[in-house]
Amino acid sequence: MSKIGIFGAGWVGLVTGACFAELGHTVVIRDVATERIEPLQQGDLPFYEPELADVVERNRHRLTFTLDPAEAAGDAEFLYVCVGTPSTYSGDANLSYVWSVLDDLPELDGRPVLVMKSTVPVGTGEKVRSALDARGLEHIGYASNPEFLSEGTAIRDFMHPDRIVIGAFEPADGDRVEELHESLEAPIVRSDVGSAEMIKLAANAFLMTRISFINEIANVCELVGADVQEVARGVGLDHRLGPHFLRAGIGYGGSCFPKDASALKQLASNSGYHFQLLSAVIEVNELQKRRVVAKLVKHLGKLRGKRVALLGLAFKPNTDDMREAPSIVLASRLLAEGAEVRGWDPVAEPGELLKGVEISGTVAEAVKDADAAVIVTEWDELRALASPEIRNSMRTPLIVDGRNVLDPNAVRKAGFAYEGIGRASSPLVDFPRPQSPSTGSSE
Ligand code: UGA
């Protein structure tokens, strides 16, 4: 078993460190932020990720947290870089945290391998290698070992990966990173460093392409009278295409896709190539987030003074992550139209990101006297949305299902007007307004 120093106690660093500890390795996770490390030392996780708290708790004896780089790096055989690589104003990846890790490295004996887990532009490994050499650290190995973890299923993704990608300058360094994963059953992809870096970017770009593709098919389905759910099922059963990432909706968000798309687009253009397809994927996604507004206008007319409940605020279910969540764009569009916006999410706490939105503690509270309930994120709790209680409490019984999670016929039978994404909609006119005192005055 090895000693592993992890640099970065964010989501990737914590999941990676906890899972390596679960595999039996000794792990020290280092971060520069006291407000992150101190709670971790007390056993508090800074975000919500299913199963992570249990894995951390189970492995307390071989998983520690520190502010001191020497404690993490000293006698470690592997130095995992798990820091953020956010977008800069130019859309490129900001590598300043990666360079800080290099600056913070103490004197090291032996041949530890610096392993890049963070998502970085192709060519970063070459630059880091040169920087290490220039500092007299030729004896430190280097490998790229990108992460393919999804929020909400990260522990399972680490323990049961589809593949493990390892790119190294020296084959012996790659062999050692491979050994680190030997108890995991997964195909190992060995490549040069640049290709490993590109595998990560290309995989994310392809997943986004599938989402924007099915969203455009959905938009055409609406115009020509087809149902995108049936289309996606029929398309996905072709073994050459597969069923994944064909869920039409109101667009992708999150801490990875938008920034990685931008970084790959800039990487291509900085290298003299205009990546047309990726540019279109990004644009389709931006427009998709706004389509709900037109759907609301179609049913409700002008949105000024209308009350809209946004249900699910995190960028996807089973996470509290609000980064680049479609709910942020949608809320600000609705507020700009003069709508009164309420929001509900079982775990996310949007704070300033949803300034002007009234946050409700329950779904019932969010939809009370509302003119529309919009499913933005497909939390399980929302599958029972079309109930008589909800219908009677709404001012206008309209559900806009931004994730196609409800059965349109059942929703209509329950007395709601229904709008999905890429499926037939139904008008409001069939639905008499309930006559309860709470709703009668607002007609
Ligand atoms: C994504 C990738 O799936 C991971 O493989 C990758 O490791 C990770 O980025 C990363 O680079 O770190 P994640 O952002 O956690 O993971 O979430 P996804 O499940 O991929 O969902 C991303 C967005 O796409 C969400 O907003 C989701 O609602 C949307 N989506 C996903 C769709 O709109 N349709 C789909 O069919 C699938």
Side-chain angles (χ1 to χ4, degrees):
M1 289 298 147
S2 302
K3 177 182 167 194
I4 303 172
I6 304 254
F7 286 81
W11 181 79
V12 173
L14 281 180
V15 171
T16 304
C19 288
F20 272 136
E22 177 89 344
L23 295 181
H25 303 290
T26 302
V27 177
V28 181
I29 302 185
R30 186 263 175 165
D31 202 287
V32 290
T34 320
E35 66 278 13
R36 182 148 281 206
I37 289 299
E38 280 181 352
L40 284 166
Q41 288 167 334
Q42 311 302 320
D44 292 333
L45 292 181
F47 49 76
Y48 173 76
E49 175 63 39
E51 294 179 51
L52 180 59
D54 293 343
V55 179
V56 169
E57 197 45 48
R58 230 183 356 255
N59 292 285
R60 282 235 151 257
H61 52 297
R62 47 179 171 236
L63 178 61
T64 46
F65 304 95
T66 183
L67 291 163
D68 179 5
E71 202 181 321
D75 71 14
E77 291 140 85
F78 300 91
L79 308 166
Y80 263 81
V81 181
C82 299
V83 294
T85 52
S87 287
T88 60
Y89 285 118
S90 61
D92 297 270
N94 176 353
L95 296 180
S96 59
Y97 301 120
V98 172
W99 297 121
S100 304
V101 171
L102 259 62
D103 292 341
D104 290 347
L105 286 181
E107 280 196 11
L108 295 162
D109 300 325
R111 189 180 170 84
V113 186
L114 188 79
V115 190
M116 187 60 68
K117 195 56 137 174
S118 303
T119 302
V120 292
V122 181
T124 303
E126 291 278 0
K127 288 183 188 151
V128 173
R129 179 71 271 167
S130 307
L132 290 170
D133 294 348
R135 294 172 196 202
L137 297 172
E138 295 90 347
H139 65 290
I140 298 187
Y142 183 90
S144 164
N145 174 214
E147 58 93 7
F148 299 100
L149 309 169
S150 290
E151 292 189 28
T153 55
I155 302 294
R156 192 186 67 203
D157 295 342
F158 189 99
M159 293 298 179
H160 306 282
D162 288 346
R163 76 302 209 186
I164 295 162
V165 174
I166 302 167
F169 293 115
E170 295 295 331
D173 294 332
D175 293 346
R176 288 175 57 204
V177 177
E178 193 171 332
E179 277 164 29
L180 203 52
H181 295 86
E182 67 189 357
S183 54
L184 298 178
E185 265 178 47
I188 304 273
V189 179
R190 292 286 295 266
S191 71
D192 59 88
V193 172
S195 302
E197 292 165 341
M198 185 54 111
I199 288 169
K200 166 68 190 191
L201 294 174
N204 270 5
F206 195 32
L207 291 170
M208 286 178 259
T209 303
R210 288 177 68 103
I211 298 172
S212 280
F213 176 81
I214 201 67
N215 281 340
E216 288 217 284
I217 292 288
N219 300 343
V220 178
C221 281
E222 283 175 14
L223 296 172
V224 299
D227 186 317
V228 74
Q229 298 288 99
E230 289 173 26
V231 174
R233 187 172 134 72
V235 168
L237 282 169
D238 185 324
H239 74 278
R240 296 166 305 175
L241 300 173
H244 303 291
F245 278 68
L246 287 179
R247 294 193 318 273
I250 57 174
Y252 61 76
S255 64
C256 302
F257 280 177
K259 90 166 163 67
D260 291 351
S262 166
L264 179 53
K265 189 181 150 185
Q266 292 312 323
L267 175 73
S269 81
N270 296 343
S271 315
Y273 185 74
H274 175 48
F275 200 148
Q276 287 192 60
L277 182 58
L278 191 54
S279 301
V281 165
I282 295 167
E283 192 182 342
V284 167
N285 195 57
E286 284 311 309
L287 296 173
Q288 198 69 14
K289 294 183 210 165
R290 291 158 166 78
R291 283 180 68 85
V292 165
V293 178
K295 288 176 186 292
L296 292 170
V297 169
K298 181 175 123 190
H299 286 270
L300 304 172
K302 282 206 170 58
L303 295 181
R304 177 159 296 282
K306 298 284 172 12
R307 189 173 289 174
V308 180
L310 299 183
L311 304 177
L313 304 171
F315 84 97
K316 64 184 246 186
N318 297 319
T319 174
D320 58 357
D321 200 338
M322 285 294 298
R323 285 175 287 181
E324 303 285 335
S327 62
I328 302 172
V329 172
L330 188 50
S332 66
R333 278 291 301 115
L334 291 170
L335 290 169
E337 293 295 323
E340 201 183 301
V341 185
R342 289 215 192 121
W344 167 85
D345 193 281
V347 292
E349 291 172 8
E352 284 295 291
L353 281 173
L354 290 187
K355 205 163 171 228
V357 174
E358 192 186 318
I359 301 298
S360 306
T362 61
V363 174
E365 195 184 313
V367 301
K368 189 169 182 323
D369 295 333
D371 295 291
V374 182
I375 298 181
V376 184
T377 306
E378 63 275 36
W379 286 98
D380 277 344
E381 290 90 327
L382 297 173
R383 292 178 197 272
L385 183 65
S387 70
E389 295 74 35
I390 296 283
R391 183 188 181 281
N392 289 337
S393 78
M394 289 180 72
R395 192 153 64 185
T396 316
L398 166 63
I399 291 180
V400 178
D401 182 1
R403 297 291 177 183
N404 288 347
V405 285
L406 303 182
D407 171 358
N409 290 330
V411 176
R412 285 179 197 119
K413 269 202 199 122
F416 292 86
Y418 178 85
E419 271 280 340
I421 306 289
R423 19 185 26 187
S425 59
S426 63
L428 269 179
V429 286
D430 303 334
F431 306 111
R433 314 279 275 270
Q435 291 304 306
S436 74
S438 67
T439 56
S441 60
S442 46
E443 291 237 273

